[in-house]
Amino acid sequence: MATAAVEVSPSNRMLPGSHALDQVQYPKSVDLSQVKPEAVVTEWLSLFNDHLQSGTPSLLKVFLNESYWRDLLCLSWDFHTLSGLKNISSFLKTQSKGSRIKSLAIDQTSVVGKPTVASVDFGATLKGIQSFLTVETDVGRGRGLVRLVQDPDDGNKWKAFTLFTSLKELKGYEEAIGERRPTGVTHGSHPGKKNWKERKDAEANFEDGLEPTVIIVGSGQGGLTAAARLKQLGIVTLMVDQNPHVGDNWRNRYHQLVLHDAVWYDNMPYLDFPPNWPVFTPKDKLAEWFEIYVKAMELNVWNSTTLTESKWDETAKHWTVKLEREIEGKNSIRTFHPRHIIQATGASGEANFPSTIPGLFSFHGPVFHSSQFIGPQASSTGKKAIIVGSCNSAHDIAQDYLEHGYAVTMVQRSSTLVVTSRALIDVTMAGVYCEGGPAVEDADLISHSLPGPVLKRFHIDATRETTRRDAPLLRGLQAAGFALDNGPDGAGLWMKYMHRGGGYYIDVGASQLIADGKIKVKQGQEISCLNKHSMTFADGEELEADEIVFATGYQNMRETARKIFGDGVADRVGDVWGYDQEGELRTIWRRSGHEGFWFFGGNLALCRYYSRLLALQIKALEVGLMEYTDT
């Protein structure tokens, strides 16, 4: 760390090489009292499909000049947000085989998604017509959502303000669910046949020469959701994890950890939480659910297993991977040749621990990164703890220390976005992820249908409302010397998460402790050095400490790839997270830059949604529908 005082970091800070999102300008609102939504959508779809099939689509009649088309694998084998009529038209013209999308239609399967007059913006000042869609492409089927508004510059004709299309399945390679579910038995006489458990054990141990097509490194929510999706597409997959048990990535974290996201937002693919599940999930309960999920979904996991060697064969297009597996105290080594490796070690990479601070090793007491924090020592009344950092983990740990009798100081070097959990649920998730809300697949369609600039404007308006609701608490924090921000351009928590992966606290109690002066704050100063029993800051102030926790975040996933797979892989892949020029997250869930290598991670909701899209890309490559170099 630097040795000089620092200014509060601007809330617009982004990951290196990433891009800021523009902010949408909404079109003018009109009176929709006499409108028949289904007739409007039907007419628009007829016009859209005619233009799409013409071979030289003229989209001026179906899109506003300032409009957006967000597409996930329907137009191409990548993710795109196309901003403006000019960019949409240009993209379609560059496709050598024409548009892969063949037609759109009204989705008649969803009551929630039927054509209806709906708010386009957060404040409900702009009304339009919204409809769920079905998407037919040359190789698959998908879902979509369109928001239509009237164009006052073209005789109030109905045109798309936003269009979202996302691939759901490949023709001929649909998921083995519902009507396609396995029978579970082969009736008739079959001497020597194995029962279900014998077959499952043989697959799990990869007996009789069976090889995984995909190896997933990590068995947290990223690994589990990706493995579940791949299994339903018939892709043989093996997860490997150094931990002894599935769920240990949560189980081994600090004692009081509870998810800050609500249950309706956190369901996993194919298997929702039961109706008596708590709103906020304790970490050990989530760990147990992960173990249940593995058994219910029949996923292959090798715990206590380390990937010791890996090499990509550019000619054969596969990896050679050596795995060292410990079973009942005995080690064995297996070599496999998967065509794909998914790094699912978490959207955050290696712990960002400031190991170069002068005097670090002279401190006479525990000093460690928050990822290693289990809990405070018992009977610790009168002891002093310093937590360096001011986001989710830092607040949870500070509160835990305080409740165990410690005098606690939080070192806040820049500013932090704070929003209460209640405000998030009541404002940003209302009507979408909530009790009695839409089915999770419909909620996800609504949530992911907003292109970046529209999403940003939505969260700017939503953040004004959460800030209004949280105003007394926020004033108390500022009075206590805690520096606040509202995220990039005031766009709140979600945009800060997308821009940099952190920088916020979802308040579940610690903020009031700060406002009340029970947790002290040292703000705006870098650490000069550690001493035997204290920490000294750039302004000369010295704080006594018995324990120090650095809740200083994590490095990019790319650095974890470097540690596990070496420079040859890490130097070929792109940086992970933060927006690209179009407004899609970089590298994660999509082609990484190294053939056969994928990054996967995120919170439970992101893993639920993007696991399908990752699995579809791998399946398309495996059956020859896609080439890695396809655009």
Side-chain angles (χ1 to χ4, degrees), residues 482-503:
F482 192 90
L484 298 170
D485 68 62
N486 280 328
D489 299 323
L493 182 151
W494 187 252
M495 283 295 117
K496 206 167 189 187
Y497 178 47
M498 294 290 103
H499 272 283
R500 50 181 281 199

Side-chain angles (χ1 to χ4, degrees), residues 500-512:
R500 50 181 281 199
Y504 57 85
Y505 170 53
I506 302 174
D507 177 47
V508 291
S511 287
Q512 192 61 55

Side-chain angles (χ1 to χ4, degrees), residues 430-503:
V432 182
Y433 299 105
C434 59
E435 196 69 43
V440 69
E441 291 248 344
D442 289 344
D444 283 346
L445 180 61
I446 296 168
S447 176
H448 291 279
S449 69
L450 290 173
V454 181
L455 184 67
K456 182 175 182 177
R457 177 67 181 271
F458 174 91
H459 280 288
I460 288 173
D461 295 337
T463 300
R464 290 195 187 103
E465 177 60 18
T466 59
T467 300
R468 185 190 68 80
R469 296 186 183 208
D470 291 339
L473 176 65
L474 299 179
R475 285 195 296 268
L477 287 172
Q478 289 176 313
F482 192 90
L484 298 170
D485 68 62
N486 280 328
D489 299 323
L493 182 151
W494 187 252
M495 283 295 117
K496 206 167 189 187
Y497 178 47
M498 294 290 103
H499 272 283
R500 50 181 281 199

